[in-house]
């Protein structure tokens, strides 16, 4: 009898995986095993994840293959326990104690010793440098062979091994040794640079304190923050970091959320307010009810989403991957032709042209080219997360920079999202207080911002609010219910006109709407008895953000379901085009029209605008770390500032520019060394700089993005 076992997800930390080429090599190796599927390799945080049917393949076989490629392997997240690797370089240690550093120092020492015996004792060059070159050849040759067996025959180790072996064969052992040393130095620098990029994300995890003070009645006990459970009450003293996402149940204070959201000014918090793990309590003592465990708090989710985003390839990265798979074999064939054609056709010297062909093998390596895009993307995503800009993948990052139009929702996006009642007007014999009371009764159970404003005003006026019976919403038009046996409708003026409760032109409605107020009509048994007007003020930085986008050559448009006069009042003050009175399907139609003219980014609150966010080229959700904002859109602004959109565009364009620079560096150096190698101007040891030198330059250039800072946030 056959027992079907569902594939199990395995995750490993892969030490030494510092570049996109490494990731491709490991992915190719794992994909050759039966039962391995959904393989994800993230070199940015050195994690390999895949599903495996263990009835077909033992995980130990995969671990052995990866180790054979020269990497350390350690199971993660409850994966099958294993012996790991005693050379796991993810452990915190000085760079000179890593395996790469020890190997580099060993080969460099052998090369220096070779120079000493050659020049000091007169030992022939071929034999003096043989130990250094031979050791390097044995090391990289073994990795090249393992890579070829694992499905990567054209790896950098293969090219270096062939070039080194060829150099030894023609007696150029000194250059073979120098090639090995330079290549190892390049790998070492690459690993150090990659480690710095990873530290940018790991520093977020360090924001959460190690311990927390849990309150049990009148007693206080210290427990590890990672052990906190939902609904426990914790004490946060002035100056302490908040140990968990929570809700304030006692106390008031100013909380510095800059480490989490990038908001530079401390935010006043009181009972009922939400706080995030890692933020700093600055003034008063707070008692919090824990709402998220350590594995699910805001910082943990940000780190998880950024790491997942780094693993996803952008369109540019996918194109370069496809290009490199064609480019590398072609480049190797070209190097082989350089070795044989000049001697055969032109009568050239075999030794000279074999030497030049071997140098071209080193020039041919595509490592720097393959790394050019993912290195920039990884750095940008990490920098964005630290600035309160959560971008979920390279595709979204590229799309933001290429957008020609940004479409904004109004309520909760361009405006604060907390409208206040400004006017209550009676239209008949019913008193204004009764108009407000009827409206509040119908809106009592609604979560709409206008409903909240009406209810807040009614409670402030101490009106007796009893929820209406049989209340129901008429999507985008009205809310209806029964109060005292009569049908009460709270509707938009447009719907009130459609049902005949309001005249086509009402001067009072038009006057209030010209002032940027949203008006609802209250009807009693089909007769309009009053008007309630609310106004939602624009965010303080909204106008500046719109001007900032215009300065970047991006047009802005407001898409709102509110009435045209209110939309024009807000839009006119902010300086953007307005499309008002749009139902959800009409918003989608507007997005489609804008997409026909170029890339479109849609900015909304992540809840009511979900269809429009999904329809745009890239959806950006507003919200200070809310679950919806973090999970639904392609990107999220973790602070409540419209200016974050400008920062996202700046970061995206800086990244696209960085990628172009990286590609130019990678291809430019190869073009230069291609010419100098064929003409004999440069030899083997300089040719290696076309790869290792370019790889280091590309990585360092990408790391510049870690210095990105917001220009729209001021203390």
């Amino acid at each position: 009898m056959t027992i079907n076992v569902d594939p199990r997800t395995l995750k490993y930390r892969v030490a030494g995986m510092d570049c996109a080429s490494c990731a491709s090599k490991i992915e190719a190796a794992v994909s050759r095993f039966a039962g391995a599927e959904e393989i994800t390799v993230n070199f940015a945080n050195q994690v390999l994840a895949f599903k495996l049917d263990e009835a077909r393949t033992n995980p130990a076989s995969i671990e052995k293959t990866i180790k054979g490629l020269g990497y350390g392997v350690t199971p993660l997240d409850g994966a099958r326990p294993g012996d790991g690797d005693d050379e796991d370089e993810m452990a915190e240690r000085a760079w000179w104690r890593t395996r790469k550093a020890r190997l580099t120092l060993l080969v460099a020492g052998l090369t220096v010793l070779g120079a000493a015996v050659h020049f000091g004792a007169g030992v022939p060059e071929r034999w003096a440098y043989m130990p250094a070159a031979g050791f390097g050849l044995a090391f990289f040759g073994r990795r090249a062979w393992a890579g070829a067996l694992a499905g990567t025959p054209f790896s950098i180790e293969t090219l270096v091994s062939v070039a080194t072996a060829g150099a030894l064969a023609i007696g150029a052992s000194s250059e073979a040794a120098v090639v090995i040393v330079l290549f190892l130095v390049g790998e070492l620098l690459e690993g150090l640079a990659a480690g710095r990029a990873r530290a940018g994300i790991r520093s977020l995890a360090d924001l959460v304190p190690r311990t927390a003070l849990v309150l049990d009645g009148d007693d206080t006990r210290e427990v590890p923050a990672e052990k906190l459970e939902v609904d426990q009450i914790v004490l946060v003293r002035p100056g302490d970091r908040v140990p968990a996402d929570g809700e304030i149940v006692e106390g008031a204070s100013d909380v510095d959320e800059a480490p989490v959201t990038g908001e530079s000014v401390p935010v006043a918090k009181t009972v009922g307010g939400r706080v995030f793990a890692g933020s700093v309590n600055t003034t008063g003592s707070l008692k919090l009810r824990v709402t998220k465990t350590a594995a699910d708090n805001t910082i943990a989710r940000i780190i998880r989403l950024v790491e997942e985003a780094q693993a996803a390839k952008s369109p540019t990265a996918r194109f370069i991957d496809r290009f490199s798979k064609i480019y590398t074999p072609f480049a190797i064939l070209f190097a082989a032709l350089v070795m044989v054609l000049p001697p055969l056709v032109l009568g050239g010297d075999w030794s000279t042209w074999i030497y030049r062909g071997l140098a071209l093998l080193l020039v041919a390596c595509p490592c720097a080219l393959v790394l050019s895009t993912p290195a920039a993307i990884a750095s940008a995503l990490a920098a964005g997360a630290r600035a309160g800009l959560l971008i979920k993948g390279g595709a979204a990052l590229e799309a933001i920079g290429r957008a020609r139009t940004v479409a904004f929702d109004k309520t909760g996006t361009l405006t604060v999202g907390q409208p206040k009642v400004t006017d209550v007007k009676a239209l008949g014999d019913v008193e204004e207080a009764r108009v407000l009371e009827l409206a509040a009764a119908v809106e009592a159970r609604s979560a709409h911002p206008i409903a909240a404003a009406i209810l807040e005003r009614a409670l402030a006026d101490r009106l007796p609010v009893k929820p209406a019976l049989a209340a129901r919403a008429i999507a985008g038009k009205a809310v209806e219910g029964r109060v005292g046996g009569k049908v009460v409708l709270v509707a938009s003026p447009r719907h009130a006109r459609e049902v005949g409760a309001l005249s086509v032109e009402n001067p009072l409605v038009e006057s209030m709407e010209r002032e940027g107020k949203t008006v609802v009509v209250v009807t009693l048994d089909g007769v309009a008895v009053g008007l309630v007007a609310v106004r939602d003020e624009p965010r303080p930085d909204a106008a500046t953000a719109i001007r900032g986008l215009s300065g970047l050559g991006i047009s802005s448009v407001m898409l709102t379901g509110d009435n045209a006069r209110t939309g024009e009042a807000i839009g006119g003050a902010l300086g953007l085009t307005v499309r008002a009175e749009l139902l959800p399907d009409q918003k989608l139609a507007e997005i489609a029209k804008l997409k026909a003219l170029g890339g479109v980014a849609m900015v909304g609150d992540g809840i009511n605008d979900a269809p429009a966010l999904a329809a745009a080229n890239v959806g950006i959700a507003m919200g200070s770390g809310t679950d919806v904002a973090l999970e639904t859109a392609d990107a999220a602004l973790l602070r409540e500032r419209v200016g974050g959109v400008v920062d996202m565009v700046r970061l995206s364009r800086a990244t696209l520019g960085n990628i172009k620079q990286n590609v130019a560096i990678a291809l430019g150096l190869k073009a230069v060394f291609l010419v100098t190698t064929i003409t004999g101007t440069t030899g083997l040891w300089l040719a290696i700089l076309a790869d290792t030198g370019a790889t280091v330059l590309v990585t360092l250039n990408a790391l510049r993005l870690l210095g990105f800072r917001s220009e729209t946030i001021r203390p």
Side-chain angles (χ1 to χ4, degrees):
M1 181 177 66
T2 302
I3 299 177
N4 294 321
V5 179
D6 291 336
R8 188 160 64 96
T9 298
L10 300 177
K11 294 183 71 175
Y12 293 92
R13 182 80 68 188
V14 183
M17 180 173 63
D18 296 320
C19 68
S21 294
C22 298
S24 297
K25 189 188 308 177
I26 291 170
E27 183 176 1
V30 176
S31 67
R32 294 169 68 89
F33 284 91
E37 57 186 27
E38 297 183 25
I39 303 166
T40 302
V41 187
N42 186 351
F43 81 89
N45 65 338
Q46 297 187 315
V47 170
L48 162 68
F50 57 94
K51 287 186 176 180
L52 182 67
D53 182 351
E54 296 184 47
R56 303 175 65 188
T57 297
N58 189 319
S61 301
I62 297 179
E63 293 178 23
K64 182 178 179 181
T65 296
I66 295 174
K67 290 178 181 178
L69 294 173
Y71 302 99
V73 184
T74 305
L76 286 177
D77 294 347
R80 184 190 60 77
D83 55 3
D85 191 319
D86 58 2
E87 296 290 346
D88 183 3
E89 300 194 6
M90 287 306 297
E92 295 297 329
R93 61 175 69 182
W95 68 267
W96 60 85
R97 295 179 57 198
T98 63
R99 179 175 56 182
K100 284 184 179 178
R102 293 199 300 267
L103 180 61
T104 302
L105 292 173
L106 173 60
V107 177
L110 290 174
T111 302
V112 171
L113 179 62
V117 299
H118 173 57
F119 292 105
V123 175
E125 175 187 331
R126 175 187 292 270
W127 306 111
Y129 294 95
M130 183 66 76
F135 182 85
L137 177 60
F139 177 80
F140 287 112
R142 182 177 62 83
R143 288 174 58 174
W145 180 250
L149 294 177
T152 314
F154 301 119
S155 65
I156 177 60
E157 289 83 6
T158 301
L159 301 181
V160 170
S161 299
V162 171
T164 303
L168 288 174
I170 62 175
S173 61
S174 62
E175 294 194 69
V178 172
V179 163
I180 294 291
V181 172
L182 288 176
F183 180 69
L184 286 171
V185 169
E187 278 205 331
L188 179 62
L189 293 176
E190 182 183 293
L192 291 173
R196 181 182 170 191
R198 284 190 290 272
I201 289 298
R202 281 196 210 137
S203 62
L204 289 175
D206 294 336
L207 294 174
V208 181
R210 301 293 183 185
T211 60
L213 297 176
V214 175
L215 296 174
D216 287 330
D218 294 330
D219 297 329
T220 303
R221 57 189 175 90
E222 189 173 73
V223 301
E226 63 183 20
K227 301 294 185 182
L228 287 175
E229 298 177 358
V230 174
D231 290 333
Q232 283 187 314
I233 305 298
V234 298
L235 173 66
V236 185
R237 300 165 300 188
D240 285 352
R241 284 193 181 274
V242 177
D245 283 11
E247 180 182 341
I248 299 174
V249 296
E250 183 179 319
S253 181
D254 291 332
V255 178
D256 180 4
E257 297 180 340
V260 183
T261 68
E263 177 60 68
S264 58
V265 180
V267 181
K269 301 281 186 177
T270 187
V271 174
R274 294 190 312 128
V275 293
F276 308 121
S279 52
V280 181
N281 181 26
T282 61
T283 52
S285 292
L286 297 174
K287 291 182 181 179
L288 310 178
R289 180 181 64 82
V290 177
T291 57
K292 299 284 186 181
T293 62
D296 198 36
N297 66 35
T298 299
I299 284 182
R301 284 183 291 140
I302 290 173
I303 292 173
R304 185 164 58 249
L305 289 169
V306 171
E307 289 181 343
E308 290 172 356
Q310 289 176 335
K313 292 183 179 179
S314 71
T316 303
R318 288 195 294 269
F319 170 77
I320 289 179
D321 278 351
R322 292 194 300 269
F323 173 77
S324 66
K325 290 178 181 178
I326 300 172
Y327 159 85
T328 305
F330 176 81
I332 292 174
L333 176 61
F334 179 74
L337 292 176
V338 168
M339 291 182 192
V340 299
L341 285 183
L344 290 176
V345 177
L346 303 175
D349 178 66
W350 278 98
S351 179
T352 298
W353 287 101
I354 288 175
Y355 178 88
R356 293 179 184 180
L358 292 173
L360 283 177
L361 283 177
L362 300 178
V363 175
C365 181
C367 282
L369 182 62
V370 173
L371 184 65
S372 59
T373 298
I377 295 291
S379 294
L381 294 176
R386 292 209 308 268
L389 312 173
L390 182 63
I391 304 171
K392 296 162 69 174
L397 182 63
E398 290 188 12
I400 292 168
R402 295 188 173 120
R404 295 182 59 184
T405 306
V406 175
F408 292 93
D409 175 48
K410 179 177 75 69
T411 305
T413 301
L414 289 172
T415 63
V416 177
Q418 296 176 341
K420 304 290 183 182
V421 172
T422 59
D423 304 271
V424 180
K425 301 291 185 181
L427 297 180
D429 296 334
V430 178
E431 295 182 353
E432 291 182 355
R434 180 59 175 167
V435 171
L436 185 61
E437 183 181 333
L438 291 171
V442 175
E443 298 277 23
R445 292 192 174 94
S446 173
H448 194 280
I450 292 179
I454 291 174
L455 188 60
E456 180 184 15
R457 173 65 179 271
L459 294 176
D461 290 354
R462 298 184 178 181
L463 298 177
V465 178
K466 294 182 179 180
L469 300 176
R472 67 184 184 93
I474 303 173
K477 297 179 179 180
V479 179
E480 183 183 79
R482 299 187 69 84
V483 179
K486 296 184 177 182
V487 177
V488 177
L489 187 74
V490 179
S492 67
R494 181 179 180 181
H495 185 65
R497 294 186 186 104
E498 290 175 356
V499 298
L502 191 69
S503 59
V504 175
E505 294 184 4
N506 186 296
L508 190 56
V509 171
E510 293 176 1
S511 173
M512 288 190 288
E513 288 182 346
R514 279 196 297 270
E515 296 173 358
K517 300 172 183 176
T518 298
V519 182
V520 294
V521 182
V522 182
T523 72
L524 191 63
D525 279 344
V527 178
V529 296
L531 305 173
V532 179
V534 302
R535 180 163 53 200
D536 185 10
E537 297 299 328
R539 293 185 183 276
D541 71 327
T544 302
I546 300 304
R547 289 195 297 271
L549 289 173
S550 179
L552 293 172
I554 297 174
S555 59
S556 301
V557 59
M558 177 200 295
L559 304 181
T560 178
D562 214 337
N563 68 81
R565 290 193 180 92
T566 300
E568 289 293 346
I570 298 293
L574 298 179
L576 77 170
T577 305
V578 177
R579 302 282 187 273
E581 300 183 4
L582 300 176
L583 296 176
D585 60 327
Q586 293 173 318
K587 275 192 179 183
L588 292 179
E590 289 293 331
I591 291 290
K593 292 177 184 177
L594 293 172
K595 287 176 71 174
L597 303 175
V600 178
M602 174 69 194
V603 188
D605 61 14
I607 303 172
N608 299 327
D609 299 297
L613 290 171
N617 295 102
V618 59
I620 303 172
M622 298 284 292
S624 296
T626 62
D627 290 342
V628 172
L630 287 175
E631 305 296 343
T632 59
D634 302 305
L637 304 176
L638 301 185
R639 53 181 177 264
E640 297 289 342
R641 291 184 181 270
V642 184
V645 179
V646 182
D647 288 332
M648 277 191 178
V649 174
R650 288 179 48 245
L651 177 60
S652 174
R653 292 186 176 180
T655 305
L656 292 171
N658 193 280
I659 290 171
K660 292 177 182 177
Q661 294 164 8
N662 287 345
V663 172
I665 291 171
L667 294 181
L669 277 177
K670 289 186 184 301
V672 169
F673 279 95
L674 172 66
V675 174
T676 58
T677 300
I678 290 178
T679 59
T681 306
T682 55
L684 278 174
W685 70 273
L686 281 175
I688 193 67
L689 294 178
D691 176 65
T692 56
T695 298
V696 172
L697 289 176
V698 162
T699 304
L700 293 177
N701 188 49
L703 288 177
R704 292 191 304 111
L705 291 168
L706 290 174
F708 175 84
R709 293 292 181 269
S710 167
E711 290 186 357
T712 63
I713 300 301
R714 294 289 182 268

PDB file of all heavy atoms in Angstrom, residues 359-381:
ATOM      1  N   ALA A 359      42.610  34.294 -20.436  1.00  0.00           N
ATOM      2  CA  ALA A 359      42.261  35.566 -19.805  1.00  0.00           C
ATOM      3  C   ALA A 359      40.824  35.960 -20.150  1.00  0.00           C
ATOM      4  O   ALA A 359      40.081  36.485 -19.309  1.00  0.00           O
ATOM      5  CB  ALA A 359      43.237  36.655 -20.240  1.00  0.00           C
ATOM      6  N   LEU A 360      40.441  35.681 -21.390  1.00  0.00           N
ATOM      7  CA  LEU A 360      39.067  35.996 -21.794  1.00  0.00           C
ATOM      8  C   LEU A 360      38.034  35.177 -21.025  1.00  0.00           C
ATOM      9  O   LEU A 360      36.904  35.626 -20.816  1.00  0.00           O
ATOM     10  CB  LEU A 360      38.897  35.760 -23.297  1.00  0.00           C
ATOM     11  CG  LEU A 360      39.470  36.847 -24.219  1.00  0.00           C
ATOM     12  CD1 LEU A 360      39.297  36.450 -25.673  1.00  0.00           C
ATOM     13  CD2 LEU A 360      38.782  38.182 -23.958  1.00  0.00           C
ATOM     14  N   LEU A 361      38.413  33.969 -20.608  1.00  0.00           N
ATOM     15  CA  LEU A 361      37.498  33.168 -19.787  1.00  0.00           C
ATOM     16  C   LEU A 361      37.147  33.915 -18.494  1.00  0.00           C
ATOM     17  O   LEU A 361      36.000  33.879 -18.031  1.00  0.00           O
ATOM     18  CB  LEU A 361      38.129  31.815 -19.451  1.00  0.00           C
ATOM     19  CG  LEU A 361      38.138  30.763 -20.545  1.00  0.00           C
ATOM     20  CD1 LEU A 361      38.870  29.521 -20.047  1.00  0.00           C
ATOM     21  CD2 LEU A 361      36.717  30.401 -20.969  1.00  0.00           C
ATOM     22  N   LEU A 362      38.139  34.571 -17.933  1.00  0.00           N
ATOM     23  CA  LEU A 362      37.898  35.324 -16.700  1.00  0.00           C
ATOM     24  C   LEU A 362      37.066  36.571 -16.985  1.00  0.00           C
ATOM     25  O   LEU A 362      36.194  36.949 -16.200  1.00  0.00           O
ATOM     26  CB  LEU A 362      39.225  35.713 -16.052  1.00  0.00           C
ATOM     27  CG  LEU A 362      40.128  34.541 -15.657  1.00  0.00           C
ATOM     28  CD1 LEU A 362      41.436  35.051 -15.071  1.00  0.00           C
ATOM     29  CD2 LEU A 362      39.419  33.639 -14.656  1.00  0.00           C
ATOM     30  N   VAL A 363      37.355  37.205 -18.125  1.00  0.00           N
ATOM     31  CA  VAL A 363      36.566  38.375 -18.506  1.00  0.00           C
ATOM     32  C   VAL A 363      35.106  37.989 -18.729  1.00  0.00           C
ATOM     33  O   VAL A 363      34.189  38.766 -18.467  1.00  0.00           O
ATOM     34  CB  VAL A 363      37.151  39.017 -19.785  1.00  0.00           C
ATOM     35  CG1 VAL A 363      36.270  40.170 -20.258  1.00  0.00           C
ATOM     36  CG2 VAL A 363      38.573  39.505 -19.536  1.00  0.00           C
ATOM     37  N   ALA A 364      34.867  36.762 -19.183  1.00  0.00           N
ATOM     38  CA  ALA A 364      33.526  36.335 -19.584  1.00  0.00           C
ATOM     39  C   ALA A 364      32.561  36.148 -18.427  1.00  0.00           C
ATOM     40  O   ALA A 364      31.349  36.147 -18.629  1.00  0.00           O
ATOM     41  CB  ALA A 364      33.626  35.013 -20.360  1.00  0.00           C
ATOM     42  N   CYS A 365      33.055  35.968 -17.202  1.00  0.00           N
ATOM     43  CA  CYS A 365      32.151  35.641 -16.091  1.00  0.00           C
ATOM     44  C   CYS A 365      31.078  36.712 -15.910  1.00  0.00           C
ATOM     45  O   CYS A 365      31.381  37.898 -15.851  1.00  0.00           O
ATOM     46  CB  CYS A 365      32.944  35.484 -14.798  1.00  0.00           C
ATOM     47  SG  CYS A 365      31.879  35.043 -13.427  1.00  0.00           S
ATOM     48  N   PRO A 366      29.800  36.314 -15.810  1.00  0.00           N
ATOM     49  CA  PRO A 366      28.698  37.287 -15.724  1.00  0.00           C
ATOM     50  C   PRO A 366      28.305  37.679 -14.311  1.00  0.00           C
ATOM     51  O   PRO A 366      27.234  38.256 -14.112  1.00  0.00           O
ATOM     52  CB  PRO A 366      27.553  36.529 -16.400  1.00  0.00           C
ATOM     53  CG  PRO A 366      27.783  35.113 -15.990  1.00  0.00           C
ATOM     54  CD  PRO A 366      29.291  34.935 -15.942  1.00  0.00           C
ATOM     55  N   CYS A 367      29.127  37.359 -13.296  1.00  0.00           N
ATOM     56  CA  CYS A 367      28.714  37.580 -11.902  1.00  0.00           C
ATOM     57  C   CYS A 367      28.272  39.022 -11.656  1.00  0.00           C
ATOM     58  O   CYS A 367      27.225  39.272 -11.079  1.00  0.00           O
ATOM     59  CB  CYS A 367      29.854  37.226 -10.951  1.00  0.00           C
ATOM     60  SG  CYS A 367      30.049  35.455 -10.688  1.00  0.00           S
ATOM     61  N   ALA A 368      29.113  39.988 -12.063  1.00  0.00           N
ATOM     62  CA  ALA A 368      28.789  41.390 -11.789  1.00  0.00           C
ATOM     63  C   ALA A 368      27.501  41.797 -12.489  1.00  0.00           C
ATOM     64  O   ALA A 368      26.678  42.538 -11.939  1.00  0.00           O
ATOM     65  CB  ALA A 368      29.946  42.285 -12.235  1.00  0.00           C
ATOM     66  N   LEU A 369      27.299  41.311 -13.700  1.00  0.00           N
ATOM     67  CA  LEU A 369      26.095  41.645 -14.459  1.00  0.00           C
ATOM     68  C   LEU A 369      24.852  41.078 -13.778  1.00  0.00           C
ATOM     69  O   LEU A 369      23.837  41.768 -13.621  1.00  0.00           O
ATOM     70  CB  LEU A 369      26.212  41.112 -15.884  1.00  0.00           C
ATOM     71  CG  LEU A 369      25.045  41.423 -16.820  1.00  0.00           C
ATOM     72  CD1 LEU A 369      24.900  42.921 -17.006  1.00  0.00           C
ATOM     73  CD2 LEU A 369      25.233  40.725 -18.159  1.00  0.00           C
ATOM     74  N   VAL A 370      24.933  39.813 -13.362  1.00  0.00           N
ATOM     75  CA  VAL A 370      23.791  39.172 -12.697  1.00  0.00           C
ATOM     76  C   VAL A 370      23.481  39.854 -11.373  1.00  0.00           C
ATOM     77  O   VAL A 370      22.326  39.976 -10.966  1.00  0.00           O
ATOM     78  CB  VAL A 370      24.072  37.668 -12.489  1.00  0.00           C
ATOM     79  CG1 VAL A 370      22.974  37.023 -11.661  1.00  0.00           C
ATOM     80  CG2 VAL A 370      24.199  36.968 -13.834  1.00  0.00           C
ATOM     81  N   LEU A 371      24.520  40.340 -10.693  1.00  0.00           N
ATOM     82  CA  LEU A 371      24.347  40.971  -9.382  1.00  0.00           C
ATOM     83  C   LEU A 371      23.832  42.397  -9.491  1.00  0.00           C
ATOM     84  O   LEU A 371      23.282  42.930  -8.528  1.00  0.00           O
ATOM     85  CB  LEU A 371      25.689  40.964  -8.638  1.00  0.00           C
ATOM     86  CG  LEU A 371      25.714  41.492  -7.204  1.00  0.00           C
ATOM     87  CD1 LEU A 371      24.886  40.595  -6.296  1.00  0.00           C
ATOM     88  CD2 LEU A 371      27.141  41.586  -6.688  1.00  0.00           C
ATOM     89  N   SER A 372      23.965  43.028 -10.649  1.00  0.00           N
ATOM     90  CA  SER A 372      23.707  44.462 -10.787  1.00  0.00           C
ATOM     91  C   SER A 372      22.313  44.866 -10.323  1.00  0.00           C
ATOM     92  O   SER A 372      22.148  45.890  -9.662  1.00  0.00           O
ATOM     93  CB  SER A 372      23.912  44.888 -12.246  1.00  0.00           C
ATOM     94  OG  SER A 372      23.039  44.163 -13.101  1.00  0.00           O
ATOM     95  N   THR A 373      21.302  44.068 -10.645  1.00  0.00           N
ATOM     96  CA  THR A 373      19.930  44.424 -10.270  1.00  0.00           C
ATOM     97  C   THR A 373      19.550  43.983  -8.861  1.00  0.00           C
ATOM     98  O   THR A 373      19.094  44.804  -8.060  1.00  0.00           O
ATOM     99  CB  THR A 373      18.934  43.852 -11.291  1.00  0.00           C
ATOM    100  OG1 THR A 373      19.203  44.437 -12.564  1.00  0.00           O
ATOM    101  CG2 THR A 373      17.505  44.169 -10.897  1.00  0.00           C
ATOM    102  N   PRO A 374      19.710  42.691  -8.488  1.00  0.00           N
ATOM    103  CA  PRO A 374      19.254  42.282  -7.148  1.00  0.00           C
ATOM    104  C   PRO A 374      19.982  42.983  -6.016  1.00  0.00           C
ATOM    105  O   PRO A 374      19.399  43.215  -4.960  1.00  0.00           O
ATOM    106  CB  PRO A 374      19.501  40.768  -7.131  1.00  0.00           C
ATOM    107  CG  PRO A 374      20.445  40.498  -8.246  1.00  0.00           C
ATOM    108  CD  PRO A 374      20.181  41.544  -9.273  1.00  0.00           C
ATOM    109  N   ALA A 375      21.254  43.337  -6.196  1.00  0.00           N
ATOM    110  CA  ALA A 375      21.978  44.050  -5.136  1.00  0.00           C
ATOM    111  C   ALA A 375      21.349  45.411  -4.889  1.00  0.00           C
ATOM    112  O   ALA A 375      21.170  45.839  -3.738  1.00  0.00           O
ATOM    113  CB  ALA A 375      23.445  44.200  -5.517  1.00  0.00           C
ATOM    114  N   ALA A 376      20.995  46.111  -5.965  1.00  0.00           N
ATOM    115  CA  ALA A 376      20.359  47.422  -5.822  1.00  0.00           C
ATOM    116  C   ALA A 376      18.965  47.291  -5.218  1.00  0.00           C
ATOM    117  O   ALA A 376      18.583  48.072  -4.331  1.00  0.00           O
ATOM    118  CB  ALA A 376      20.292  48.108  -7.185  1.00  0.00           C
ATOM    119  N   ILE A 377      18.202  46.308  -5.676  1.00  0.00           N
ATOM    120  CA  ILE A 377      16.844  46.100  -5.160  1.00  0.00           C
ATOM    121  C   ILE A 377      16.876  45.789  -3.669  1.00  0.00           C
ATOM    122  O   ILE A 377      16.109  46.355  -2.873  1.00  0.00           O
ATOM    123  CB  ILE A 377      16.137  44.965  -5.922  1.00  0.00           C
ATOM    124  CG1 ILE A 377      15.922  45.333  -7.396  1.00  0.00           C
ATOM    125  CG2 ILE A 377      14.811  44.606  -5.260  1.00  0.00           C
ATOM    126  CD1 ILE A 377      14.916  46.411  -7.647  1.00  0.00           C
ATOM    127  N   ALA A 378      17.766  44.890  -3.264  1.00  0.00           N
ATOM    128  CA  ALA A 378      17.845  44.495  -1.850  1.00  0.00           C
ATOM    129  C   ALA A 378      18.190  45.689  -0.974  1.00  0.00           C
ATOM    130  O   ALA A 378      17.593  45.888   0.096  1.00  0.00           O
ATOM    131  CB  ALA A 378      18.875  43.383  -1.679  1.00  0.00           C
ATOM    132  N   SER A 379      19.145  46.496  -1.401  1.00  0.00           N
ATOM    133  CA  SER A 379      19.533  47.673  -0.612  1.00  0.00           C
ATOM    134  C   SER A 379      18.388  48.671  -0.533  1.00  0.00           C
ATOM    135  O   SER A 379      18.120  49.250   0.526  1.00  0.00           O
ATOM    136  CB  SER A 379      20.765  48.335  -1.235  1.00  0.00           C
ATOM    137  OG  SER A 379      21.895  47.499  -1.145  1.00  0.00           O
ATOM    138  N   ALA A 380      17.687  48.883  -1.645  1.00  0.00           N
ATOM    139  CA  ALA A 380      16.589  49.849  -1.664  1.00  0.00           C
ATOM    140  C   ALA A 380      15.434  49.411  -0.770  1.00  0.00           C
ATOM    141  O   ALA A 380      14.852  50.224  -0.050  1.00  0.00           O
ATOM    142  CB  ALA A 380      16.104  50.043  -3.104  1.00  0.00           C
ATOM    143  N   LEU A 381      15.104  48.127  -0.809  1.00  0.00           N
ATOM    144  CA  LEU A 381      14.004  47.637   0.034  1.00  0.00           C
ATOM    145  C   LEU A 381      14.338  47.788   1.515  1.00  0.00           C
ATOM    146  O   LEU A 381      13.478  48.151   2.325  1.00  0.00           O
ATOM    147  CB  LEU A 381      13.701  46.178  -0.296  1.00  0.00           C
ATOM    148  CG  LEU A 381      13.143  45.903  -1.699  1.00  0.00           C
ATOM    149  CD1 LEU A 381      12.979  44.406  -1.927  1.00  0.00           C
ATOM    150  CD2 LEU A 381      11.817  46.611  -1.904  1.00  0.00           C
TER     151      LEU A 381
END
